[in-house]
Each structure stands twice: as structure tokens, then as C-alpha cells.
Amino acid sequence: MSTGSNLFAEPGLQQITVWARGVVMNKDARDIVVALAEAAAREGKYVQAWENYVDLPDRVYVPVRAYARISTDPIESKYIYENETPDIIILVEETLVKGVPVLRGLRKGGVLVVNTRRSPEEILSFLGDTGNLETLVTVDASSLSTAVTTLSGAEGATDATGIGAGIAAPLAGAVVKATGIVSLENLAAVVKNPEAMRRGYELARVTRLETKGAAQEVAVSAGELLKQLPFAGTVPSPVSENEGMVTGNWRMQRPVLDQEACTSCDTCWIYCPDSCITRTDEGPTFNLKYCKGCGICEEVCPSGAISLVPELNFKD
Amino acid sequence: MLERIPSIRKAPDEEYYVPGHRTCAGCGPALAYRLTAKAAGPNTIFIGPTGCMYVANTSYGCGPWRVPWIHAQITNGGAVASGIEAAFKVLARKKKYQGEIPHVIVFAGDGGAVDIGLQALSGMLYRGHDVLFICYDNESYANTGIQTSPTTPYGAWTTFTPAGPAVPEGKKLFPKDNPKVVAHGHPELKYLATASIGWPVDLMNKVRKGLNAEGPAYLHIQAPCPKGWQFPPNKTIEMAKLAVQTGMFQLYEYENGEYKLSVKMEERKPVAEYLKLQKRFAHLQPEHIEKLQAFVDARCAEVGITVPAVASAR
């Protein structure tokens, strides 16, 4: 059952959705929602912060979501599992603009914050129809701090590292600049690296866009996904690819072959965990629909014929 | 009979574990699965007890296997496989099944093979079912967020063995050696070997030998886990190779009470060279590394790896 937007029709409610890459940036995604929620709580707001269970257990590089809700009034929709109609969307890593439906369900006047060194124009070129998006914020948070890769605090484990020591702090600062959702002082009191948070606030580049007015499609809810699942029983085997789990949008870097240097030794082919390399007379070809960009092929190549290139350098 | 694969280039092109699964980027067990499926070929049935290779491969309501696959509980991979094998035998005897009997392979994690699933594995081996039981060993309960398992090495950080002031080394216990448990208590066992994803041709040939054996076979594959061991996902093969080169994991076949080593080594690297690349060991002090080195030295001597550990010249 689609919950639609009515269940979120609470005048004082703001929904925040953070997208990140599993394992390597999961902690930073969690820290952003926790930091913003705790800062808002200091201002007497009603808050929630949690991870999207559908994305767990998180796998290395899989797109994952963390959520926050901040409201002036008691949150009536607190048992609604996902933020289906977010007001603010934050991307901890820039390639999430490509092939991941990050703007789904975005409400009118929506804000998108992207951790990137690239220009707003370049980021927009990957987003296509931006619908309700009104504000784009770009900030090079990775230059201000380092992502905290830890399992501490993951999936119920005790968090021994504190909140906002990594790139979460400057990204939360950028959110405040564009939205004023909490005060800088309260955010500074919560995060472990307030200096990086303030730098993120200062360096964030805010671009106002003309909204297209077209409401974005509401994200498929967990309840709907559950209905589509077969309950036990059998499913057909795939023929050559498993269309039910397309993983090309996990990739931050793309393998590129230098045909001159390739000796067709097949080493990359045998070591690919995702069966994404086909050996041909002209050397390996990569199945980019599924390649997760792990980089094993580049690492094991004995002749240095494979290099990894940032995914956003490619338009396709 | 499945033939020996002489080299990477001569390995079969056909994939039976195809693209499209929710395993980590750089997943060691996924590579082990792919190589196993490639070696076993089209007439194969996989049994997948609960673990990463069940959950990550089947989310959501689909799977990457071109051959039949069935889920078993984490406790009972060996029992489900026994039933499938026995059913084919009976159907063939009653002439209700006339085709070639399929290869039956259990693909269990260390939880499903060494810990929770050990009794069903042992029962299957004891009764003599013609099944290849594979343990893909990523040295923790990785699927649920990295909790310690019996094969987690001494000194490794997991969410259940955090290093701190009271227990500075993290995990205090030394790992259970499942090939040893299997080898010495199961008279019907027909083939036993260890393998590593760092030696793919050796791995595929051991799968084939295990399948060619008429009776139960056990293959223990070390498969590094970038999430749980905390190393970058492009380093999975390097970790697998270092594990063998340091003697942390030993590659052998066990036949007639003798260890037959699979890799010739001129010398061993010190375990420190393996540990320093994984954040799960980042907290270890010199005395802990010494203790682990002594354990590895003893185990290597036991299987016949006599070359000493020598630090590489820098």
C-alpha cells in the first residue's frame, strides 16, 4: 500500500534523507542525521534519526540511506518506515547523482546537498528532470575532513567514535547554510569537529533553481516492495545476468582498458567476483551494468593495462 | 568425471554464478562461489545455508545462480544436502530418474560449517553422502555486522571482541581448525582439502576432485572479507595471497593421514606483514603479534611447512 504524501501532511515536519555508500561512508551518513536531530532537539523540536533497514546489512559501496525527521509538533508519522517525501536530501558522495533515484518524492521547495568539487551545472547535468528541486548546494566536504570508516555504532553495536568527526560535520554545516534548519551554535555543540562544520558552512555554494513544479514520483515504499516478493517457493534462475539486482550504480570508479598494454593473460577475468569481465580476442570487456568498481582488476593486472577513472567523468 | 583445469587460460568460459548480486564490492566469498560454480558446471545443485552467500545473493526474491539453489537454515546445510543426495539415489534405483546424478554442493560460511552448522556437516560426512561440503571462511559472522566466529583469528577486532583496556588484543581465543575436526573423525570421508581465492586454478581443481570423489568431500576455502577485515575492496586478492604466504592459512590436501602441500614456498613472510594491512588488527601490540606468530609457526610445522618466517628486505 502506498502511503502517499498525506501521512506526512504535518505542517511543522521536515524530512531529511541522506544517501551514502555502504560500509565506507555508512558512519558519516548516520552521523549527519544524528547530528541534525540532536541539534534540533536542543531547540525543543521533536526529532527522529534512523538508518533504512531495507539497505542493511550494508555492503561495500551499496547505496544506503539514513533518515531524520525534525518537527515543531509531535511527529504523527513516526511509525512510517521510510521518508517517502523528503524536504532535504544529502549525498555523502557525488556519484550517487548517477543512476540512483535520489530525488524521488522530493517535496516542493526541496534542497539537495552534494559533497563534490564539481560545479553545480555539472551535477545538474546528471540529475535530469529535477522536478521540485529548488536549491542545490555543492560543497567539497572531503577536502575539509576525512570519512570515518568504522563498524563502531553499526547495526546496534556501541558507537565509540563520537558523532561528526568525519565528513558528516561539514555536510551538516552546508545543510544549515541552505536551510537554517538548526542554529550553527547548536550543531557545533553536537559534532566532534565543529571547525570542519563551520568551514563546510562557509564554503557551501548555494544555487537557487527554477522549480519545474512537476511533482516527483513517490518512492516505492517498503510495504510495496514486500508485496512484490514471492513468499517462499521458487523463482526462475537467470540466464546470463540477474536483472533483479542491477549493481552498476554502486560504482564510483570505472575500469578502463589500455589495449596496447594488455597481454590477454586473463588474470583480471579470473579474479572478478562479479563475473563482470568477458575475455575476447581484444582483451577483457567490462560489464558496466553490474560492475561495482571494486578495482580488483586494476590491482591484479600484471601489465598495468587497467586504470580506474572517476565515474562522473563519463556521461553514459 | 570432471577434468583437471591446467591454467587460467584453459578455465571454462561459462559462468553459472552470474552478475547481479548484493555482495560487497571486492567480496572474497562471491569470487569463491563463482569459481566453484565454474568448476562444477551445469549439472549442479547448491545448498545455501544462512550467511552472506544466502542473504546478499538472494536480496530480493531473486538470485544469481544459473543452476538450482536452495536455502537451508544455518544449522542444517549438511542435512538438507543429505536428503537431496539420498532422494536422487532412490529415484535412480527405482528408475524414476534416469539422468546423470547432479553434483550436490553445500556452500556454507564459517558459521554454517564450523559453528552452528557443524553437527549437520558431521552427520552428513559420517553417513557417507556423496556431497561436496564447502566452507567459505571469511572469519566472522559478516552478514549480521561482523561478530566473532570460531574461525576469527586470535587478536582480531569484531563487534563481539572489541579491543579495549580490559582485553587489549580483542579476540583472546585461538581459532577452531575445522579441516582437522573433519579429518580425524569421519571414516567415510573421501576427500579433504583447503583452498584460497588467491590460487583460483588450484581452487577449481580441488572442487573438481571433491566432486569426482565417490562419497563425502570437504573443502575449506579462505575468502577475505573487505567489510569485516577492514581493508580496501581492491586488496581482496592480495590479502588471500598474504594469508598463505605468511602461513596464517595453509593450502593442502589431506590424504591417507598425510598433508600434501599445494604451494611450494621458499620462505614465509612474518604474520605482521599480513596484519598491518587490516584494520581489524590495528590495535595489536608486539607481544600479541609474537603470540600469533608462534601459533602460526606451530601449525605450519604440523602440516609440513618447514620454511621459516623471514622479514622481507626493505
Side-chain angles (χ1 to χ4, degrees):
Chain A
M1 175 200 78
S2 174
T3 47
S5 53
N6 286 344
L7 280 170
F8 293 100
E10 300 176 49
L13 176 69
Q14 296 260 293
Q15 300 166 65
I16 303 169
T17 297
V18 179
W19 287 83
R21 298 282 173 196
V23 183
V24 290
M25 298 163 202
N26 197 34
K27 162 75 172 156
D28 283 295
R30 198 165 57 237
D31 278 9
I32 294 171
V33 293
V34 172
L36 290 171
E38 283 197 9
R42 295 168 77 93
E43 297 171 12
K45 301 275 176 59
Y46 294 85
V47 300
Q48 275 182 289
W50 74 106
E51 288 178 90
N52 189 9
Y53 186 72
V54 174
D55 299 330
L56 299 176
D58 60 327
R59 313 289 177 179
V60 174
Y61 295 170
V62 70
V64 292
R65 283 158 289 184
Y67 297 123
R69 287 186 192 132
I70 295 174
S71 183
T72 50
D73 302 298
I75 301 171
E76 288 175 19
S77 56
K78 68 178 167 188
Y79 297 121
I80 305 293
Y81 187 67
E82 296 182 336
N83 275 349
E84 291 172 17
T85 55
D87 300 276
I88 301 168
I89 297 165
I90 301 145
L91 310 186
V92 177
E93 188 278 316
E94 65 178 10
T95 56
L96 287 159
V97 297
K98 199 170 169 181
V100 182
V102 293
L103 293 181
R104 263 200 196 166
L106 183 67
R107 285 189 162 195
K108 237 178 155 173
V111 178
L112 174 68
V113 180
V114 185
N115 174 17
T116 184
R117 284 191 315 190
R118 293 172 198 262
S119 70
E121 294 72 32
E122 200 178 352
I123 292 300
L124 284 169
S125 74
F126 288 104
L127 287 169
D129 176 15
T130 50
N132 281 331
L133 183 63
E134 192 174 281
T135 307
L136 173 66
V137 184
T138 52
V139 60
D140 187 8
S142 297
S143 72
L144 302 172
S145 200
T146 312
V148 179
T149 299
T150 176
L151 298 170
S152 184
E155 293 175 68
T158 310
D159 191 326
T161 50
I163 302 300
I167 48 178
L171 281 168
V175 172
V176 172
K177 184 166 187 176
T179 65
I181 191 161
V182 293
S183 80
L184 264 193
E185 287 62 42
N186 282 322
L187 189 59
V190 171
V191 295
K192 230 180 152 182
N193 189 350
E195 185 48 36
M197 187 275 286
R198 285 182 203 282
R199 293 283 292 150
Y201 179 91
E202 287 157 15
L203 294 180
R205 187 170 162 193
V206 180
T207 310
R208 302 288 172 191
L209 308 168
E210 227 174 277
T211 56
K212 310 236 165 54
Q216 289 279 326
E217 187 194 340
V218 174
V220 181
S221 67
E224 277 173 62
L225 281 175
L226 193 65
K227 276 197 167 173
Q228 292 166 15
L229 279 180
F231 178 74
T234 56
V235 293
S237 283
V239 177
S240 59
E241 294 175 348
N242 179 22
E243 295 278 348
M245 183 53 65
V246 177
T247 50
N249 65 4
W250 295 27
R251 189 173 61 247
M252 294 184 283
Q253 290 189 301
R254 178 186 291 197
V256 174
L257 179 73
D258 173 358
Q259 249 180 37
E260 296 288 296
C262 176
T263 62
S264 296
C265 68
D266 297 348
T267 305
C268 58
W269 169 75
I270 201 72
Y271 283 124
C272 178
D274 289 280
S275 324
C276 280
I277 297 177
T278 306
R279 43 184 183 178
T280 72
D281 292 339
E282 283 84 47
T285 60
F286 306 104
N287 182 346
L288 296 174
K289 187 175 166 190
Y290 293 93
C291 167
K292 296 168 185 160
C294 69
I296 285 178
C297 52
E298 189 247 9
E299 185 76 17
V300 299
C301 177
S303 52
I306 298 172
S307 48
L308 298 174
V309 179
E311 186 57 34
L312 291 194
N313 290 6
F314 303 93
K315 287 292 167 204
D316 65 315
Chain B
M1 287 289 271
L2 294 161
E3 282 174 21
R4 191 177 156 270
I5 297 168
S7 65
I8 291 176
R9 294 188 93 146
K10 299 258 169 69
D13 273 317
E14 291 76 24
E15 306 288 356
Y16 298 96
Y17 179 75
V18 301
H21 36 89
R22 206 176 173 275
T23 62
C24 286
C27 173
L31 177 56
Y33 227 138
R34 177 182 164 228
L35 295 170
T36 298
K38 189 183 268 301
N43 194 21
T44 301
I45 296 174
F46 279 113
I47 291 95
T50 304
C52 277
M53 289 302 101
Y54 155 53
V55 175
N57 279 319
T58 59
S59 26
Y60 297 87
C62 59
W65 303 277
R66 268 175 67 196
V67 295
W69 172 94
I70 184 173
H71 173 232
Q73 300 305 319
I74 193 166
T75 52
N76 66 357
V80 172
S82 299
I84 291 172
E85 183 258 10
F88 269 101
K89 265 191 188 161
V90 168
L91 290 172
R93 194 174 70 223
K94 295 186 172 174
K95 307 263 187 279
K96 289 182 176 173
Y97 179 81
Q98 320 240 314
E100 205 176 318
I101 304 272
H103 305 304
V104 180
I105 302 177
V106 184
F107 206 81
D110 35 304
V114 181
D115 199 14
I116 307 175
L118 182 59
Q119 56 83 12
L121 161 63
S122 181
M124 182 205 99
L125 298 173
Y126 161 71
R127 291 187 301 268
H129 294 280
D130 192 2
V131 172
L132 171 61
F133 196 111
I134 293 178
C135 171
Y136 67 90
D137 187 359
N138 58 1
E139 300 179 353
S140 82
Y141 283 93
N143 186 54
T144 42
I146 322 301
Q147 293 83 28
T148 187
S149 91
T151 60
T152 304
Y154 165 83
W157 180 98
T158 67
T159 57
F160 279 4
T161 57
V167 187
E169 69 263 60
K171 184 172 176 180
K172 288 173 79 170
L173 299 171
F174 282 93
K176 188 194 287 187
D177 193 324
N178 214 43
K180 242 171 146 175
V181 172
V182 166
H184 299 292
H186 301 93
E188 293 296 322
L189 184 72
K190 293 295 182 288
Y191 183 73
L192 170 71
T194 61
S196 161
I197 57 165
W199 278 262
V201 175
D202 179 67
L203 186 154
M204 288 188 286
N205 282 323
K206 283 168 174 169
V207 168
R208 289 192 160 185
K209 274 179 117 168
L211 292 172
N212 286 341
E214 286 173 13
Y218 179 74
L219 181 59
H220 196 98
I221 304 177
Q222 200 214 27
C225 169
K227 178 178 179 178
W229 302 10
Q230 298 169 63
F231 61 81
N234 62 339
K235 300 287 185 192
T236 303
I237 307 304
E238 187 183 338
M239 291 312 147
K241 288 192 171 171
L242 273 171
V244 172
Q245 288 161 350
T246 54
M248 284 286 292
F249 189 76
Q250 312 90 29
L251 288 186
Y252 57 80
E253 293 172 296
Y254 186 75
E255 286 173 353
N256 307 318
E258 305 244 338
Y259 290 98
K260 205 173 113 195
L261 297 178
S262 310
V263 185
K264 271 206 181 107
M265 285 200 280
E266 300 298 322
E267 60 183 36
R268 274 186 293 136
K269 294 179 176 173
V271 293
E273 292 187 21
Y274 174 69
L275 307 179
K276 71 181 179 194
L277 300 173
Q278 301 170 37
K279 224 172 120 191
R280 64 173 172 163
F281 295 118
H283 56 278
L284 291 188
Q285 298 299 313
E287 64 265 31
H288 307 133
I289 296 174
E290 223 169 275
K291 203 169 157 187
L292 186 53
Q293 183 69 60
F295 172 79
V296 168
D297 290 347
R299 179 62 185 147
C300 282
E302 195 176 13
V303 304
I305 300 172
T306 49
V307 293
V310 182
S312 53
R314 286 280 152 122

